[in-house]
Amino acid sequence: MINKIIGIDLGTTNSVVAVMEGGKVTVIPDDEQQKLCPSIVAFEEVGTPLVGVAARNQLVLNPRNTIYSIKRFMGRRHSEVTKEESSLSYELVGKPEEMVRVKSRGRVLTPPEISAMILRTLKDRASRYLGAEVGQAIITVPAYFNDSQRQATKDAGGLAGLEVVRIINEPTAAALAYGLDRKHVSKIAVFDLGGGTFDISILELSEGIFHVLATNGDTHLGGDDLDKRLVEWVYSEFEGENGFALRRAPEVFERVRQEVEKAKCELSFNEGVELSLPLLDTRDGKVSNFHRTLSRSKLETLSRDIVERTINPCRRAVDDAGLAPSEIDEVILVGGSTRMPLVRDLVKVVFEKEPNTSVNPDEVVAIGAAIQGAVLSGDVSDVLLLDVNPLSLGIETYGGAMSKLIFRNSPIPATAKEVFTTAVDNQTAIDVHILQGEREMAADNRTLARFALSGIKPQPGGVPRIEVTFVIDVNGILNVTAKDQFTGKEEHIEVKPTYGLTEEEVSRHVDESVEHAFEDMDRRMWVDHKQEAERVVAATIKTMSQHGEKLDGSMREKIVGIVDRTQKALAGGDWHELKAALDALNEATLPLAELLVTEAIKAEGTLRTPGTHSPSSQH
């Protein structure tokens, strides 16, 4: 075993492994000198599973047992991947609410188990290259992978026999590779359009410090979507030409998919390409072929709406970073899909400058991961990577509000603590409801987990002190602790959600937080003032019953009248009216508060009168 930490880009379409030696990063090839390992696993009737190029060769011959794009299913439920599932040649099994599983030749496997086979292949490749067993790795993930997807990736590494010492975001890794030798301050946008996901990150680079200012993206957008659109075009053209629909058999589908994927890649460099699919279908003894010229302009027409889905995340990220597009110094491209001229033209329009195309988009993420591995192993110094949390995290509090502890785009690792209390007298347990999102009310955000803290000392509402601590580690995985400060009773949970963020959820959390900002703030202000008003009214009524007779009649009547006004406001729904009543009540009870203070001072003075025997003066 060696102390080298390898860097792995576990991609949707291809995966790459790299290592730093002697201050230089090497992207490690296989025995055939191929640096890209197709992220494909094939199961034959007998023997060990095939991985990489050998598995890709099985796509047409053995489509039902050849697994590709498995990254799109990491940490997800079936109900979240219905679009992707509809275009697969292999079988997913399980109920809608269950985690995705793959069935092949009688075996049922999870996405982490299949991903582990790819990681094991890359691990063995690195071990052969270095001449010793590799034990540790940095693995990259899309910036918008949530806790469940990150944990699934970490689990895959463990199944492959790797200690995953860090999980870092792919755009951040790319910037790390790109800017290692930069010493001047610069702001960089990393536009990462891979096979299955899209990420955009805005970073500031200065004197070896890589600070992520903002990140955004879409976990359901990538080159696979472009391929699917081209496949549907071929099916449509075939039916128009032959008068009958092309068979949807997996063998046919995979032939078409492979052909259009190759054509798409060629059109990044050529204006047109010949699509040739002989012996594509047979009906009534007649063989039907498909031959068609596909132009770059046709490809761009078919895919423009898909590519344009990257625009809004880019604009949000720039806005979240507090910048204008013109303030971005450079845009770097990551992912094979960024070779498309249409994508590069769009980037130029959004960021008002030509993107930098000097970095190999297929290798740069693995290179960055290898650099981070060298930093952690001590081979590289003076480099600091500050990543960010993509969505705010908090808990549900009184009235169904969300109290945020770690805010969106906060640097990670991160720790936040806040002390809460109970709302009910003699409460002995609380439900800690952990949330993710940008809305003010819990119901509008996404539940990550729940756990209970019991054994709280029974006390009046508002007295117990419950300290809640959120910790996001360097891999972006959340740990939550709740502790009763009176009893020391403590409960803890590592948040491992059973599902990931859907495209709709990402849009809802980000877009609706802006769209409903005023409405949400009204609801939140009502909850906050309602809690305060209920507390003040209860305390006032109690104090008046004990000491009210010591006030003159007009003061008593004024306080009673405003208490009644506040109670009526509590039965309404207007926080402005409630706040006005609460302010009036606080002002009206000042004489009562002064009376209590005066009596307390007199009592204290009596206890300390010379000659008396207080406990502290006895001998």
Side-chain angles (χ1 to χ4, degrees):
M1 192 77 68
I2 59 174
N3 63 357
K4 289 288 183 184
I5 301 176
I6 59 174
I8 296 177
D9 172 15
L10 182 62
T12 304
T13 305
N14 294 295
S15 295
V16 185
V17 59
V19 68
M20 175 171 270
E21 292 183 294
K24 181 181 178 182
V25 177
T26 299
V27 177
I28 303 173
D30 63 11
D31 294 337
E32 304 298 324
Q33 298 306 302
Q34 298 296 313
K35 294 181 178 179
L36 302 185
C37 173
S39 301
I40 303 174
V41 176
F43 298 93
E44 297 184 295
E45 291 185 13
V46 294
T48 57
L50 303 175
V51 177
V53 175
R56 186 176 61 192
N57 294 337
Q58 293 283 311
L59 278 168
V60 175
L61 300 174
N62 185 22
R64 295 182 186 275
N65 301 292
T66 303
I67 318 303
Y68 54 87
S69 297
I70 196 63
K71 181 176 177 176
R72 282 192 146 182
F73 307 121
M74 295 284 274
R76 291 195 179 279
R77 296 182 302 177
H78 285 267
S79 60
E80 297 174 312
V81 295
T82 51
K83 292 181 181 178
E84 289 90 341
E85 187 173 1
S86 64
S87 61
L88 296 176
S89 58
Y90 54 90
E91 182 182 4
L92 301 185
V93 295
K95 298 177 181 179
E97 69 276 9
E98 293 178 341
M99 298 294 290
V100 171
R101 283 177 168 78
V102 176
K103 185 175 182 180
S104 176
R105 298 196 184 279
R107 298 175 62 188
V108 176
L109 298 162
T110 65
E113 288 176 306
I114 294 169
S115 297
M117 298 175 189
I118 299 168
L119 291 172
R120 168 68 72 175
T121 297
L122 297 174
K123 174 182 182 291
D124 292 344
R125 179 188 295 189
S127 296
R128 289 194 301 272
Y129 173 81
L130 293 169
E133 185 73 10
V134 169
Q136 296 179 309
I138 304 284
I139 301 179
T140 63
V141 296
Y144 248 74
F145 256 29
N146 76 337
D147 303 279
S148 178
Q149 293 164 301
R150 291 169 188 269
Q151 187 63 51
T153 303
K154 195 172 184 179
D155 291 345
L159 292 171
L162 287 166
E163 177 191 351
V164 182
V165 295
R166 185 73 60 88
I167 289 177
I168 63 173
N169 292 340
E170 291 163 1
T172 306
L176 191 62
Y178 178 78
L180 180 62
D181 298 321
R182 286 175 170 255
K183 297 300 179 184
H184 63 282
V185 176
S186 59
K187 294 178 177 64
I188 290 179
V190 183
F191 185 100
D192 183 354
L193 185 60
T197 58
F198 169 66
D199 285 306
I200 177 70
S201 291
I202 311 298
L203 301 94
E204 183 175 52
L205 280 60
S206 176
E207 301 295 332
I209 298 176
F210 296 76
H211 181 202
V212 181
L213 302 178
T215 186
N216 212 299
D218 187 336
T219 55
H220 289 268
L221 175 62
D224 286 357
D225 299 289
L226 302 175
D227 296 344
K228 183 179 178 181
R229 180 66 59 80
L230 286 173
V231 168
E232 293 303 320
W233 174 76
V234 169
Y235 271 77
S236 175
E237 292 290 300
F238 181 92
E239 184 173 0
E241 183 177 294
N242 293 278
F244 59 88
L246 183 60
R247 289 184 300 119
R248 293 279 176 174
E251 295 81 1
V252 176
F253 178 85
E254 285 304 329
R255 281 192 64 196
V256 176
R257 194 177 70 86
Q258 285 200 61
E259 189 68 21
V260 299
E261 183 183 4
K262 287 188 292 184
K264 179 190 69 176
C265 294
E266 288 184 35
L267 287 173
S268 294
F269 308 99
N270 301 306
E271 292 295 330
V273 64
E274 293 297 321
L275 274 175
S276 181
L277 289 158
L279 308 176
L280 194 58
D281 205 337
T282 303
R283 300 288 173 94
D284 300 324
K286 177 186 176 183
V287 174
S288 297
N289 305 314
F290 183 83
H291 297 284
R292 190 65 54 89
T293 298
L294 177 62
S295 66
R296 180 187 293 176
S297 62
K298 182 62 178 179
L299 170 63
E300 293 180 349
T301 298
L302 290 170
S303 58
R304 184 172 297 277
D305 64 310
I306 296 173
V307 173
E308 287 180 348
R309 283 167 55 192
T310 63
I311 294 176
N312 283 338
C314 287
R315 289 175 174 166
R316 290 193 199 105
V318 172
D319 188 56
D320 288 345
L323 301 172
S326 59
E327 294 178 280
I328 302 295
D329 297 303
E330 263 185 294
V331 183
I332 63 173
L333 304 179
V334 181
S337 297
T338 61
R339 288 191 171 93
M340 290 180 64
L342 176 63
V343 173
R344 296 186 174 188
D345 289 343
L346 179 142
V347 170
K348 180 180 177 180
V349 170
V350 171
F351 291 97
E352 303 173 9
K353 58 183 56 67
E354 290 281 354
N356 188 312
T357 59
S358 63
V359 183
N360 185 327
D362 292 319
E363 300 176 2
V364 66
V365 170
I367 291 171
I371 294 171
Q372 179 68 6
V375 170
L376 295 180
S377 65
D379 293 337
V380 171
S381 59
D382 301 325
V383 174
L384 180 62
L385 181 61
L386 299 175
D387 224 323
V388 296
N389 174 49
L391 288 172
S392 298
L393 299 163
I395 65 170
E396 180 178 358
T397 52
Y398 175 84
M402 176 181 176
S403 290
K404 297 173 183 175
L405 277 81
I406 298 180
F407 288 84
R408 183 173 181 237
N409 285 326
S410 298
I412 59 173
T415 300
K417 291 184 180 180
E418 192 166 336
V419 176
F420 299 88
T421 189
T422 56
V424 179
D425 291 344
N426 300 316
Q427 191 172 335
T428 59
I430 61 168
D431 175 46
V432 182
H433 182 193
I434 304 164
L435 301 162
Q436 181 182 46
E438 304 309 313
R439 302 289 295 277
E440 292 296 326
M441 305 304 292
D444 296 321
N445 292 303
R446 177 173 170 267
T447 295
L448 289 183
R450 290 178 184 265
F451 69 96
L453 173 64
S454 57
I456 298 172
K457 181 180 178 181
Q459 297 181 89
V463 175
R465 294 175 61 82
I466 310 299
E467 183 182 76
V468 177
T469 304
F470 275 40
V471 178
I472 304 180
D473 66 18
V474 292
N475 298 312
I477 295 172
L478 174 65
N479 287 267
V480 179
T481 302
K483 180 179 181 180
D484 179 4
Q485 292 187 339
F486 285 98
T487 65
K489 179 73 173 180
E490 179 177 302
E491 293 291 344
H492 166 269
I493 189 172
E494 180 175 282
V495 179
K496 296 181 181 178
T498 56
Y499 56 90
L501 288 171
T502 66
E503 177 185 344
E504 291 76 14
E505 285 174 317
V506 172
S507 298
R508 175 164 62 83
H509 288 310
V510 179
D511 291 342
E512 291 189 2
S513 66
V514 177
E515 181 183 347
H516 297 281
F518 292 109
E519 171 193 339
D520 285 353
M521 189 53 64
D522 278 344
R523 294 165 67 192
R524 181 57 184 265
M525 293 295 284
W526 168 255
V527 167
D528 290 347
H529 285 95
K530 181 174 182 287
Q531 182 179 21
E532 177 68 6
E534 288 175 340
R535 184 188 65 79
V536 173
V537 165
T540 300
I541 292 173
K542 181 178 179 180
T543 306
M544 285 291 288
S545 69
Q546 296 172 343
H547 304 279
E549 74 281 354
K550 299 174 184 178
L551 297 173
D552 64 49
S554 62
M555 281 187 180
R556 286 199 304 271
E557 288 180 9
K558 182 179 180 180
I559 292 174
V560 170
I562 299 177
V563 165
D564 183 60
R565 173 189 169 187
T566 307
Q567 289 176 322
K568 288 179 179 177
L570 279 167
D574 187 339
W575 73 265
H576 296 89
E577 183 179 336
L578 181 60
K579 182 179 185 302
L582 182 58
D583 290 343
L585 183 58
N586 283 325
E587 184 178 352
T589 54
L590 281 176
L592 182 60
E594 290 172 357
L595 173 66
L596 296 177
V597 170
T598 300
E599 291 188 345
I601 291 173
K602 288 180 180 179
E604 183 74 8
T606 300
L607 284 173
R608 296 186 181 277
T609 300
T612 61
H613 296 284
S614 66
S616 60
S617 64
Q618 292 179 351
H619 299 285

